[in-house]
Amino acid sequence: MNDKASSQPIFSRGNAIADETMRWWHVRYGGWSKRGATLPNYQDVATFLRVDESKGLFHFDASYRPCALQQQFIGVTEKKAIKRFQVMNEVCYENVLDQAGKNQTLVFVHSRKEAAKTAKFIRDMAMEKETITQFVRPDSATREILTEEAGNVKDSNLRDLLPFGFAIHHAGMTREDRNLVEELFADGAVQVLVCTATLVWGVNLPAHTVIIKGTQIYNPEKGRWVELSSQDVLQMLGRAGRPQYDTYGEGIIITNHAELQYYLSLLNQQLPIESYYVRMLKSPGLYYDKRADIAYSAAVLLEKCHLIKYERASGRFQSTDSELGRIASHYYVTYNSMATYNQHLRPTMSTLELFRVFALSNEFKLLPVRQEENLELGKLLERVPIPVKEGVDEPAAKINVLLQAYISQLKLDGFALVADMVFVQQSAGRILRAMFEICLKRGWGSMTPLRQFKGVPQEVIRKAEVKQFPWYRYFDLDPPEIGELIGIPNAGRLVHRLVHSFPKLQLQAQVQPITRSLLRIDLSIVPDFRWDEKTHGTAETFLIMVEDVDREIVLFNDSFVLRQRYYAEDEHNVTTTVPMFEPVPPNYYISVVSDQWLHVAETRLPISFKHLILPEKFPPPTPLLELQPLPLSALHNKDFESIYSSTIQTFNKIQTQVFQALYTSDENVFIGAPTGSGKTICAEFALLRLWSKREQPRAVCIEPYQEMVDQRVAEWRRKFSGLQGGKEIWDILSRRWRQRKNVQNFGLLIADEIQLVGGEVSPMYEVVISRTRYVAAQTEVKTHIVGCGVSLANARDLSEWMGAPSHAIFNFSPSSRPLDMDIHLQSFTIPRFPSLMIAMSKPAHLSIVEHSPTKPVIIFVPSRRQCRLTVDGLLIHCGADSDPDRFLNIEEADLQPHLDHISDKGLVECLKHGVGYHHEALDKQDKRIVERLFQSGAVQVLVASKDTAWSLPVASYMVIIMGVQYYEGKEHRYVDYPVMDVLQMIGRACRPMEDDRSRCVLMCQQTRKDFYKKFLAEGLPIESHLPTHLLHDYFLAEIAVETIENKQDAMDILTWTYFYRRMTQNPNYYNLHNVSHQHLSDHLSELVENTLQDLVNSKCISIEDEMNVSALNLRMIAAYYSISYVTVEVYTLSLKKRTKLKGLLEVVASSAEFESISIRRHEDTILRRIYDRVPVKLDRADFEAPHFKTFLLLQAHFSRIQLPPDLAVDQVLVLEKVLNLLSACVDVMSLNAWLNALGAMDLSQMCVQVMWETDSPLKQIPYFEPETIKRCKDAGIVSVYDVRRWKMINAPNFCKWMVVKSTFVNSYPTLDVSFKLEKGEYTAGAPITMQVSLARDVDDEDSDDQTLVAPFYPTKKIANWWLVVGEPSTKQLLSIKRVTVTKNFSVKLEFTLPKGEHALKLYVICDAYVGADHDLSLEPIDVAEGEDSDSDDESGDEMEE
């Protein structure tokens, strides 16, 4: 260990980190492999390094030395320094001469200048006494070699010494010179090498004799001469003796006579290395006060420098608001330097002042100004561009000059100066970055980057600077013009390429007011430069700053990384929120500044507020009254009271306040309260009122997610039974309200989580409620609407849109919770996401230990993968506390029966220590077990992914949200959680029956802290997203049922939407710049015109007389299957008459419905491996695109490839939608009379039975492995019908076979098909009727249950059949119908034929089973010419629901 003071903290910190890992994972402490010189207190060193003394401690004394060491100690008694120096040189010469010609000698001195002086003294003394030939003979080959090599040496002193067999070695020499000296000494050509300590620690170069000339070095910190450290002396003497040549080595120390005893003791008695840490371990009581004094002194010093906050009463440390301590730690800047920066940095500083502050850094305090450097530094002072006030002999001037010289690429002559410049340059990066961070934290707008573009020839730079041509204008010139401008025609192309390699960006910004005090800025960034991997590497980092109008205050800052792999993307989007002040300033500035480049790499965009219209101030929330809690008897119904009597005795404050409006009135009601406030019981009040009426119309509840529908149905079935609900079902149901009386006759609509009108599922929610009110108005049948959501800022607008009167609006404050909640916001400034999550792990553990040591805790993390990483981190911290089972509240023997039923082995190991995880990819049974263990208190901590926030059925005392960003694969960046999701997570901390208060810890990045602080304390403002997400499909659905028959109808129906109401309240959000009636009318007219024109272009509708709207067949397909008009348009443009399986797969995967498939970070690696295993390839594989991922997931499904949990979840999402989309494909191709629609039907079978069309039909039978299928094939069994007749008593899995026979094989459809053509003469264009009869062979008891047996398909399904009449010779489809056959079924098919003879076929295709199809040939049909025949008539083609 070279430096005891620095190495001990490093090892101590390493021990602390390794100790945490070791205690939990029981890893052998083999990471630290340390060796050192022989020490008498080696056991203390072993204790410090945490070595197991019985296994890992090896101690060898001096007797084990390979070469014995002969030691000489020479003491100089001379007191005067000059004479003492002369005596030491003479003694050194005599000892060197003793070895001349016999052995090589290393002479250690303690400065670079001293090395050359000592070597020259010995040489000159040898020449004076005529002993020089003993070092190297004049006529020897060695002399010739040394003379020749001296000619190549750059160092003048070495060039002078080398021919005489002497050499020097120190850090001020060039690397080439040092390498040459080392080689010559190793080869024996150099007899005497005079060197500094650089050779001791850096190069293993032994010699027979080692002489240490003097043992004192100057310490600039102490301002006096001090003795060499014991480690240095031992290391130097360790170079004495060459095991391969010598039997012993000689070590000679020339020192002051007074120091002889010290060095005698050091080398013969081995002075111990002291460690305060080890001494404290051995005697903690003795050292306790001393340790406290050290900690107190350090804390006071750090507080004085404003690096920490020190609470003297409690002894606690806290980071300061300016985060100087974090900056110092992150960039390894000393506390002295941070104090200097804190004192000298100002908001407005010139470059000159900035360089001066940099030069004052404590890191450079030991950098001396040598006498021989003064001349060169003086010249540099005149050449550097920025003036330096200090004199040439001041260290600050030297540091300033060296940094400027490096930036200006000035060439230095002195090697010592070069070494110093390298040190300054290496330190400048982190120091300047730290200074920049300090300025940024203070909100200053100044930034002085000190980097520049490299690689341009010096002549070109000189000519360009002489011209003083504005830099931005270079971008408008072509290569010849640039060459002419700078006067070097040949360099025009080079400069043009370099100019366009600068990372220039194009910016566009859209401003949307959220509240009067907060703006959202959507920033669009388009790269406008040529990417060169040699120049830019794999990524370019930029800093995004939003500055005020004076460019003095930074309102927002964040980093943006442009990666080469995503550079092909045309546009990158960044969303920020910034505060707005009143009076409204004229503008803000957005600056995007490169982290590495100057000049054009800084793009500035002014944002004008000339037309900014801020929304009005929001009304205050509803006060929560101090009412007496209502008892259950207020229901006045014993049956209703019995529902709640087992769980509660009285209703809470919120339920009490809304009771009259819901239970005694039919008015529309809005309830806004924090999650966990009991809003579900409020909605049940309305249900109970509905059911207490004599006539009980239907009630519908809509939920945002399917998991919530399932939970609500299960909960209400337990309470009431008979409830039906679900957002998707209601939306499809409500589209045909004119034809369906049951839709017109429901009396109650419960809209749960209605705040999502402004969130992810917002357009669907808005359409459903808008349509409900429109239907009620048209039918004059009142529908009672109850909306439940979180506290909203603009609840009045939402409630009025719902039709709720002012006295039925209950919008409580976010603080109006059943339990008081303590919310802690903890911010982090770590830009890299993985590092951020690691940094959050320890604070999360400490929060649990401090705030919830025994009560349950839920931790939300961004992804499934992060769940496991977070659990591992928590358990490591528990192990470090020597309590790995801290969170386990059950005996392992009692826990084991539950663990035996869990399939995830990693989850089993975590649950054994009291921590579970819950994510969307977890097996359903595993989820239930984890939920049950957490609810019972057996495990204390549950780590859940963000996607489970809405479906997690458990609550806790404390919630920790670790990070508020997740990776958005389609945009290749991390985006913020929706605020609604954060509020839902916080709402999980609510257990009114067990706790009297709750807690939440929200961990986020520093730039997001103010945003979340605002919306956790205030109501959430919500806006409509209907125009940008669902307006086309909304219009299409209404056109389908003729609600919209012209453009005016479209205008009218928009007035029922939340979008229309918010347009006037927050016009800028919807791109409106005026709220006059004329402007609103023009804006709506333009929106309707553009939307309808898009539908016309997609061939879904037609517009007649520029006003009336009529639907086309494609509209029918989109409306019937509830798919996007974009999807139908893609099918129409992409599907062709000859489209095969590959084309079908690609087209279906391109459906707009799959755009929501997640693209996770680093997922492309797994997708590439899958792509290598699937048979169908594409010309261009884009592993970052949702459509390509869907394409792969479908093939992986057919190939039965085992997928990781995340991809398995995605695959289920694809399979739940794909059959609907394939049916739409069939209809689109049928409209064009293409017989290749049969291919889409085959693809439907492949999706259900998980096999390729080329596979054996037997593969769809459960437990039929390839070996079994081969045996069947050998036995002549090729179909499922053959299996029915096959006996498998000798099969290895006979019991499974019996189960299969009684389920799959028996349910496999046996269909008898008969058909009959209408008799008569067939003429061209006249309809021909075919009667088709279908009979299914089923048992009477099984006729009602036609559920499909498909173990690999994720949802329940019944088998349907397509009846197709086609002509194979022309590949024309003539007629098609889709039917469901229960037992017997008869249907008519009509089609027309042109004149001639036709060989037709009847295809009966199942959409679920493979091998059950029928392909029946008809007798040739002769069609005569009709009166008005049309060979192209396809009127027989039809589509039926």
Side-chain angles (χ1 to χ4, degrees):
M1 294 181 291
N2 186 19
D3 188 345
K4 179 173 66 177
S6 62
S7 63
Q8 183 167 320
I10 292 174
F11 286 133
S12 298
R13 185 179 182 186
N15 282 330
I17 296 171
D19 191 37
E20 288 189 10
T21 308
M22 177 187 66
R23 290 182 182 176
W24 163 239
W25 295 111
H26 308 291
V27 175
R28 181 177 65 86
Y29 205 97
W32 297 108
S33 178
K34 295 298 166 193
R35 57 188 178 85
T38 302
L39 302 170
N41 60 335
Y42 57 88
Q43 290 176 322
D44 289 349
V45 178
T47 301
F48 172 63
L49 294 176
R50 307 290 179 85
V51 171
D52 184 345
E53 295 186 11
S54 62
K55 298 179 181 179
L57 175 59
F58 302 93
H59 174 252
F60 303 97
D61 58 24
S63 63
Y64 285 86
R65 185 182 175 95
C67 292
L69 180 63
Q70 176 182 307
Q71 303 172 32
Q72 292 185 42
F73 299 86
I74 301 174
V76 179
T77 56
E78 183 60 52
K79 300 296 184 183
K80 294 183 178 181
I82 297 178
K83 288 187 177 181
R84 184 172 64 247
F85 177 75
Q86 181 69 22
V87 171
M88 282 188 177
N89 279 340
E90 292 173 357
V91 173
C92 181
Y93 163 75
E94 292 172 0
N95 283 278
V96 167
L97 185 62
D98 290 342
Q99 304 295 329
K102 295 180 288 185
N103 296 303
Q104 290 176 295
T105 303
L106 279 174
V107 180
F108 284 104
V109 294
H110 310 302
S111 71
R112 301 171 185 178
K113 185 189 297 185
E114 182 64 21
K117 286 185 176 181
T118 300
K120 287 182 178 180
F121 178 88
I122 297 174
R123 181 202 60 183
D124 295 343
M125 182 70 74
M127 293 180 68
E128 179 183 337
K129 297 189 176 182
E130 297 181 352
T131 57
I132 192 67
T133 55
Q134 295 184 32
F135 295 96
V136 58
R137 293 197 304 274
D139 56 348
S140 66
T142 302
R143 172 72 180 223
E144 294 182 11
I145 293 172
L146 294 175
T147 304
E148 182 181 350
E149 293 292 352
N152 302 323
V153 169
K154 296 180 180 179
D155 188 284
S156 58
N157 292 320
L158 180 60
R159 190 185 309 119
D160 184 26
L161 291 167
L162 208 53
F164 301 96
F166 294 86
I168 58 175
H169 188 288
H170 56 74
M173 297 166 56
T174 63
R175 169 55 62 187
E176 293 80 6
D177 287 357
R178 281 182 283 165
N179 289 342
L180 175 63
V181 169
E182 291 164 14
E183 291 172 5
L184 292 175
F185 191 81
D187 293 340
V190 170
Q191 280 283 302
V192 180
L193 177 58
V194 184
C195 56
T196 59
T198 306
L199 196 77
V200 178
W201 297 102
V203 183
N204 186 14
L205 205 62
H208 176 80
T209 303
V210 168
I211 300 175
I212 302 176
K213 197 198 91 171
T215 58
Q216 288 190 328
I217 57 174
Y218 183 75
N219 187 330
E221 288 187 48
K222 297 182 179 179
R224 57 184 175 84
W225 294 87
V226 297
E227 293 295 320
L228 279 175
S229 70
S230 57
Q231 289 96 331
D232 283 338
V233 173
L234 292 172
Q235 192 73 9
M236 291 175 185
L237 293 181
R239 294 284 179 255
R242 299 167 298 175
Q244 65 271 43
Y245 302 115
D246 302 330
T247 57
Y248 70 97
E250 295 185 46
I252 303 172
I253 296 180
I254 306 173
T255 182
N256 293 339
H257 189 270
E259 302 298 332
L260 275 182
Q261 189 61 43
Y262 170 75
Y263 288 105
L264 281 169
S265 301
L266 171 68
L267 296 176
N268 296 305
Q269 299 177 8
Q270 300 174 352
L271 293 180
I273 293 179
E274 289 297 332
S275 169
Y276 172 76
Y277 173 74
V278 175
R279 293 287 178 246
M280 184 192 68
L281 284 179
K282 291 189 173 182
S283 303
L286 182 64
Y287 281 85
Y288 179 81
D289 293 337
K290 178 66 174 176
R291 180 178 58 173
D293 290 343
I294 293 176
Y296 175 79
S297 301
V300 170
L301 195 59
L302 293 176
E303 184 186 33
K304 183 179 178 181
C305 297
H306 305 286
L307 300 184
I308 64 170
K309 291 180 181 178
Y310 176 40
E311 297 178 5
R312 287 169 170 76
S314 63
R316 296 184 61 181
F317 298 162
Q318 292 182 354
S319 61
T320 60
D321 295 336
S322 61
E323 297 200 356
L324 292 182
R326 184 202 60 80
I327 296 171
S329 173
H330 187 74
Y331 294 105
Y332 293 93
V333 180
T334 64
Y335 73 92
N336 310 77
S337 295
M338 294 301 292
T340 301
Y341 306 152
N342 197 37
Q343 177 185 355
H344 291 89
L345 287 177
R346 295 289 179 268
T348 54
M349 294 184 69
S350 64
T351 309
L352 184 150
E353 294 170 315
L354 190 69
F355 271 82
R356 291 186 67 194
V357 174
F358 171 82
L360 295 175
S361 300
N362 191 64
E363 281 73 9
F364 306 122
K365 68 178 182 179
L366 300 181
L367 211 61
V369 179
R370 303 176 185 88
Q371 186 176 354
E372 65 271 18
E373 297 170 347
N374 287 346
L375 180 62
E376 186 173 2
L377 284 175
K379 294 179 181 178
L380 290 173
L381 277 172
E382 299 174 358
R383 296 181 61 189
V384 294
I386 299 173
V388 179
K389 292 183 177 181
E390 292 80 8
V392 71
D393 55 342
E394 296 184 45
K398 175 180 177 179
I399 296 159
N400 194 333
V401 165
L402 289 180
L403 181 59
Q404 293 193 55
Y406 171 76
I407 296 172
S408 305
Q409 298 183 350
L410 300 180
K411 190 175 181 180
L412 305 184
D413 295 328
F415 298 117
L417 267 184
V418 171
D420 291 343
M421 185 175 73
V422 170
F423 175 67
V424 171
Q425 172 258 321
Q426 290 175 341
S427 303
R430 59 185 177 84
I431 291 175
L432 288 170
R433 190 74 191 190
M435 294 166 65
F436 168 65
E437 292 266 357
I438 295 172
C439 297
L440 206 56
K441 293 303 173 191
R442 294 179 177 179
W444 299 343
S446 305
M447 176 180 175
T448 311
L450 297 176
R451 295 167 290 276
Q452 61 180 348
F453 190 83
K454 297 181 180 180
V456 183
Q458 289 296 322
E459 183 183 4
V460 174
I461 290 178
R462 184 174 57 82
K463 290 289 186 70
E465 289 176 347
V466 168
K467 289 292 181 182
Q468 296 184 351
F469 193 69
W471 181 253
Y472 67 91
R473 295 185 59 185
Y474 275 86
F475 290 88
D476 301 327
L477 304 180
D478 55 25
E481 291 173 334
I482 293 177
E484 182 180 353
L485 173 68
I486 62 177
I488 309 176
N490 294 336
R493 188 177 299 275
L494 169 65
V495 176
H496 183 271
R497 177 176 61 81
L498 293 174
V499 165
H500 289 276
S501 294
F502 274 88
K504 183 182 178 184
L505 304 175
Q506 293 182 356
L507 305 180
Q508 286 186 340
Q510 181 182 2
V511 177
Q512 293 178 312
I514 299 177
T515 67
R516 288 190 68 83
S517 60
L518 194 68
L519 298 181
R520 186 174 79 177
I521 300 177
D522 291 323
L523 182 64
S524 168
I525 302 175
V526 180
D528 185 22
F529 64 97
R530 183 186 296 110
W531 193 285
D532 181 3
E533 189 170 353
K534 294 181 180 178
T535 303
H536 306 103
T538 58
E540 283 286 350
T541 302
F542 296 85
L543 180 73
I544 300 175
M545 294 189 296
V546 181
E547 302 164 294
D548 69 343
V549 64
D550 299 319
R551 297 193 59 221
E552 291 182 353
I553 300 175
V554 178
L555 303 171
F556 173 87
N557 71 88
D558 200 0
S559 60
F560 166 70
V561 180
L562 181 65
R563 303 185 187 279
Q564 182 185 14
R565 62 186 299 186
Y566 309 134
Y567 179 72
E569 296 289 332
D570 294 333
E571 187 176 338
H572 304 265
N573 298 304
V574 177
T575 301
T576 68
T577 54
V578 297
M580 171 53 65
F581 307 98
E582 296 190 53
V584 176
N587 62 275
Y588 281 169
Y589 291 98
I590 298 180
S591 299
V592 181
V593 186
S594 173
D595 197 46
Q596 300 177 352
W597 303 80
L598 292 174
H599 302 301
V600 296
E602 179 175 352
T603 309
R604 182 170 293 109
L605 176 69
I607 305 174
S608 174
F609 297 144
K610 182 178 180 180
H611 300 290
L612 182 67
I613 304 175
L614 295 176
E616 293 297 323
K617 290 185 177 180
F618 298 124
T622 305
L624 183 60
L625 305 178
E626 291 293 333
L627 301 176
Q628 183 72 25
L630 278 177
L632 297 183
S633 58
L635 295 171
H636 302 298
N637 186 308
K638 294 297 182 183
D639 294 334
F640 293 168
E641 293 173 27
S642 64
I643 296 172
Y644 304 105
S645 59
S646 61
T647 54
I648 59 175
Q649 298 303 316
T650 61
F651 298 115
N652 67 26
K653 293 181 180 180
I654 291 176
Q655 294 160 357
T656 298
Q657 192 163 337
V658 304
F659 181 81
Q660 294 296 326
L662 289 168
Y663 196 67
T664 64
S665 167
D666 287 329
E667 290 182 319
N668 294 349
V669 178
F670 169 76
I671 307 165
T675 304
S677 300
K679 296 190 293 291
T680 302
I681 291 181
C682 295
E684 291 170 1
F685 290 159
L687 271 176
L688 297 178
R689 172 172 175 78
L690 184 74
W691 293 338
S692 63
K693 294 180 180 179
R694 181 173 301 176
E695 293 182 4
Q696 296 183 4
R698 290 179 173 85
V700 175
C701 175
I702 55 176
E703 299 281 356
Y705 302 104
Q706 184 61 44
E707 295 86 355
M708 297 184 68
V709 172
D710 297 340
Q711 289 180 17
R712 185 70 68 235
V713 169
E715 178 187 353
W716 279 352
R717 276 179 179 165
R718 288 194 302 268
K719 285 186 176 181
F720 317 121
S721 77
L723 181 69
Q724 58 179 350
K727 170 179 62 64
E728 292 285 344
I729 296 172
W730 161 239
D731 180 53
I732 296 170
L733 196 68
S734 65
R735 286 185 177 185
R736 294 169 180 76
W737 60 271
R738 288 186 185 275
Q739 293 83 12
R740 297 179 175 175
K741 295 297 181 184
N742 59 345
V743 179
Q744 299 177 17
N745 293 329
F746 75 90
L748 174 64
L749 171 65
I750 299 172
D752 197 14
E753 307 296 351
I754 198 172
Q755 75 273 8
L756 289 177
V757 164
E760 184 180 343
V761 294
S762 59
M764 189 68 69
Y765 249 127
E766 187 170 349
V767 165
V768 169
I769 298 176
S770 299
R771 186 178 290 141
T772 300
R773 296 201 62 220
Y774 185 76
V775 170
Q778 295 296 313
T779 61
E780 297 183 355
V781 177
K782 180 173 174 56
T783 301
H784 184 195
I785 301 177
V786 176
C788 300
V790 299
S791 305
L792 301 179
N794 51 353
R796 179 180 297 173
D797 290 336
L798 184 75
S799 303
E800 291 175 353
W801 165 63
M802 285 173 44
S806 58
H807 62 269
I809 301 174
F810 300 94
N811 183 48
F812 299 102
S813 167
S815 60
S816 301
R817 301 176 181 273
L819 299 178
D820 292 336
M821 175 177 282
D822 300 324
I823 300 179
H824 305 270
L825 268 74
Q826 192 166 353
S827 61
F828 296 79
T829 55
I830 301 172
R832 292 189 69 252
F833 185 79
S835 302
L836 176 65
M837 298 309 297
I838 293 173
M840 289 178 176
S841 178
K842 186 65 175 288
H845 174 259
L846 293 177
S847 296
I848 298 173
V849 173
E850 182 176 353
H851 301 301
S852 182
T854 58
K855 294 184 178 182
V857 178
I858 298 176
I859 302 177
F860 285 103
V861 295
S863 65
R864 177 199 65 83
R865 182 173 178 270
Q866 190 60 46
C867 282
R868 184 59 194 270
L869 295 175
T870 301
V871 171
D872 290 346
L874 289 175
L875 296 181
I876 287 175
H877 297 312
C878 290
D881 293 341
S882 302
D883 191 3
D885 298 331
R886 173 195 292 272
F887 302 131
L888 185 64
N889 301 320
I890 188 176
E891 295 297 328
E892 189 170 347
D894 298 330
L895 180 65
Q896 192 59 45
H898 300 277
L899 302 182
D900 293 339
H901 294 87
I902 294 179
S903 57
D904 188 333
K905 301 305 179 187
L907 179 58
V908 170
E909 291 302 316
C910 297
L911 289 173
K912 287 181 179 179
H913 299 279
V915 182
Y917 53 80
H918 191 290
H919 53 74
E920 63 280 5
L922 204 61
D923 180 77
K924 287 185 178 180
Q925 179 171 308
D926 291 358
K927 284 183 181 179
R928 287 194 294 269
I929 295 174
V930 171
E931 292 164 7
R932 194 161 56 244
L933 290 173
F934 184 74
Q935 281 179 320
S936 65
V939 297
Q940 184 187 344
V941 179
L942 180 64
V943 180
S945 65
K946 78 168 187 68
D947 292 331
T948 64
W950 293 93
S951 59
L952 196 64
V954 294
S956 65
Y957 167 73
M958 183 168 75
V959 163
I960 299 175
I961 303 175
M962 283 181 57
V964 291
Q965 288 187 319
Y966 68 98
Y967 184 73
E968 176 53 75
K970 292 187 284 292
E971 299 181 18
H972 313 299
R973 66 188 180 100
Y974 289 95
V975 298
D976 293 341
Y977 289 176
V979 179
M980 282 82 84
D981 288 2
V982 175
L983 295 176
Q984 184 69 15
M985 296 174 189
I986 294 174
R988 294 298 172 193
C990 183
R991 300 189 307 161
M993 305 303 293
E994 291 90 357
D995 304 319
D996 55 2
R997 64 187 308 107
S998 57
R999 289 182 180 274
C1000 173
V1001 178
L1002 176 60
M1003 301 180 181
C1004 63
Q1005 289 183 312
Q1006 179 67 33
T1007 55
R1008 307 296 191 275
K1009 182 177 180 179
D1010 292 338
F1011 176 80
Y1012 285 104
K1013 184 188 296 184
K1014 178 180 179 65
F1015 288 118
L1016 291 180
E1018 302 177 8
L1020 178 69
I1022 59 172
E1023 302 290 348
S1024 170
H1025 297 280
L1026 180 64
T1028 55
H1029 286 76
L1030 202 72
L1031 189 57
H1032 294 79
D1033 294 317
Y1034 182 32
F1035 277 6
L1036 202 58
E1038 299 303 333
I1039 292 171
V1041 294
E1042 299 181 355
T1043 304
I1044 295 178
E1045 295 182 341
N1046 52 55
K1047 294 180 180 178
Q1048 185 58 45
D1049 291 341
M1051 292 274 288
D1052 292 342
I1053 206 168
L1054 275 181
T1055 61
W1056 290 87
T1057 63
Y1058 183 61
F1059 156 66
Y1060 178 76
R1061 186 167 295 274
R1062 286 300 298 168
M1063 276 177 57
T1064 58
Q1065 302 300 316
N1066 192 3
N1068 279 171
Y1069 193 91
Y1070 304 96
N1071 205 25
L1072 266 171
H1073 301 295
N1074 198 303
V1075 291
S1076 68
H1077 179 76
Q1078 185 62 41
H1079 277 86
L1080 289 174
S1081 179
D1082 292 345
H1083 183 79
L1084 281 179
S1085 298
E1086 183 182 0
L1087 181 62
V1088 169
E1089 288 279 358
N1090 293 338
T1091 304
L1092 293 178
Q1093 189 58 48
D1094 289 342
L1095 296 176
V1096 170
N1097 296 338
S1098 64
K1099 300 180 181 179
C1100 289
I1101 65 170
S1102 63
I1103 299 178
E1104 301 171 1
D1105 301 328
E1106 297 185 357
M1107 187 65 180
N1108 297 325
V1109 178
S1110 60
L1112 301 179
N1113 284 329
L1114 290 180
R1115 185 275 309 158
M1116 295 294 294
I1117 295 173
Y1120 179 71
Y1121 293 108
S1122 296
I1123 60 178
S1124 169
Y1125 85 100
V1126 177
T1127 298
V1128 177
E1129 185 178 9
V1130 168
Y1131 292 172
T1132 305
L1133 296 175
S1134 304
L1135 293 172
K1136 305 297 180 186
K1137 190 173 184 178
R1138 299 185 180 278
T1139 301
K1140 303 290 185 186
L1141 175 65
K1142 175 183 176 181
L1144 271 170
L1145 265 176
E1146 190 173 359
V1147 170
V1148 172
S1150 300
S1151 304
E1153 282 69 16
F1154 296 133
E1155 285 297 316
S1156 60
I1157 297 297
S1158 301
I1159 303 295
R1160 299 175 185 86
R1161 193 158 178 79
H1162 305 308
E1163 198 173 56
D1164 57 313
T1165 305
I1166 301 174
L1167 295 179
R1168 289 178 193 278
R1169 291 204 295 265
I1170 296 173
Y1171 189 56
D1172 293 338
R1173 296 176 59 186
V1174 297
V1176 182
K1177 310 293 183 184
L1178 293 181
D1179 296 333
R1180 180 178 176 273
D1182 184 1
F1183 294 94
E1184 303 290 341
H1187 71 85
F1188 184 77
K1189 180 177 177 179
T1190 303
F1191 178 77
L1192 282 184
L1193 292 177
L1194 284 173
Q1195 291 197 67
H1197 181 65
F1198 304 149
S1199 302
R1200 300 191 179 184
I1201 296 175
Q1202 190 73 23
L1203 297 177
D1206 283 337
L1207 291 181
V1209 172
D1210 294 337
Q1211 191 180 63
V1212 170
L1213 295 176
V1214 170
L1215 294 174
E1216 288 174 347
K1217 298 177 180 179
V1218 71
L1219 291 188
N1220 206 37
L1221 297 170
L1222 285 171
S1223 297
C1225 284
V1226 170
D1227 289 351
V1228 170
M1229 290 189 282
S1230 299
L1231 283 176
N1232 294 281
W1234 294 336
L1235 193 57
N1236 62 340
L1238 299 176
M1241 301 175 192
D1242 292 339
L1243 194 54
S1244 178
Q1245 296 175 359
M1246 292 161 54
C1247 290
V1248 176
Q1249 296 301 339
V1250 200
M1251 55 187 291
W1252 291 96
E1253 59 179 354
T1254 55
D1255 292 336
S1256 168
L1258 302 181
K1259 190 174 181 179
Q1260 62 191 317
I1261 305 176
Y1263 306 114
F1264 266 50
E1265 302 298 333
E1267 182 183 351
T1268 307
I1269 296 174
K1270 183 177 182 302
R1271 288 174 55 204
C1272 292
K1273 186 177 180 181
D1274 295 340
I1277 298 169
V1278 295
S1279 71
V1280 180
Y1281 300 116
D1282 296 334
V1283 174
R1284 284 181 174 174
R1285 301 183 291 271
W1286 185 36
K1287 304 297 183 183
M1288 289 191 64
I1289 297 177
N1290 296 325
N1293 297 316
F1294 179 70
C1295 294
K1296 289 182 179 179
W1297 156 246
M1298 294 304 296
V1299 174
V1300 170
K1301 177 130 185 172
S1302 62
T1303 53
F1304 180 86
V1305 178
N1306 289 344
S1307 67
Y1308 192 77
T1310 302
L1311 203 65
D1312 293 329
V1313 182
S1314 60
F1315 61 90
K1316 184 179 180 181
L1317 277 175
E1318 183 186 62
K1319 293 183 179 180
E1321 183 178 346
Y1322 307 127
T1323 58
I1328 301 173
T1329 304
M1330 175 189 290
Q1331 184 75 30
V1332 181
S1333 298
L1334 306 173
R1336 185 173 180 183
D1337 183 15
V1338 294
D1339 297 333
D1340 290 338
E1341 61 271 15
D1342 296 334
S1343 60
D1344 294 334
D1345 185 12
Q1346 297 190 52
T1347 305
L1348 194 70
V1349 179
F1352 293 102
Y1353 189 69
T1355 60
K1356 290 184 178 181
K1357 184 185 182 321
I1358 61 172
N1360 299 306
W1361 302 81
W1362 279 289
L1363 305 181
V1364 179
V1365 178
E1367 188 172 10
S1369 60
T1370 60
K1371 299 187 182 302
Q1372 190 172 20
L1373 185 147
L1374 303 173
S1375 182
I1376 181 172
K1377 279 193 177 181
R1378 189 178 183 187
V1379 299
T1380 301
V1381 182
T1382 55
K1383 195 168 185 181
N1384 296 313
F1385 190 82
S1386 182
V1387 66
K1388 286 185 179 181
L1389 298 177
E1390 286 190 357
F1391 54 91
T1392 60
L1393 291 170
K1395 177 185 175 183
E1397 185 175 277
H1398 301 274
L1400 305 183
K1401 281 191 173 184
L1402 172 64
Y1403 302 92
V1404 183
I1405 310 294
C1406 184
D1407 70 345
Y1409 289 104
V1410 177
D1413 305 335
H1414 294 261
D1415 183 353
L1416 307 175
S1417 297
L1418 280 66
E1419 294 293 333
I1421 299 176
D1422 191 11
V1423 179
E1425 183 175 357
E1427 293 182 4
D1428 299 319
S1429 66
D1430 184 355
S1431 60
D1432 297 328
D1433 187 7
E1434 299 174 2
S1435 62
D1437 304 341
E1438 56 179 303
M1439 269 185 44
E1440 298 223 1
E1441 296 184 6

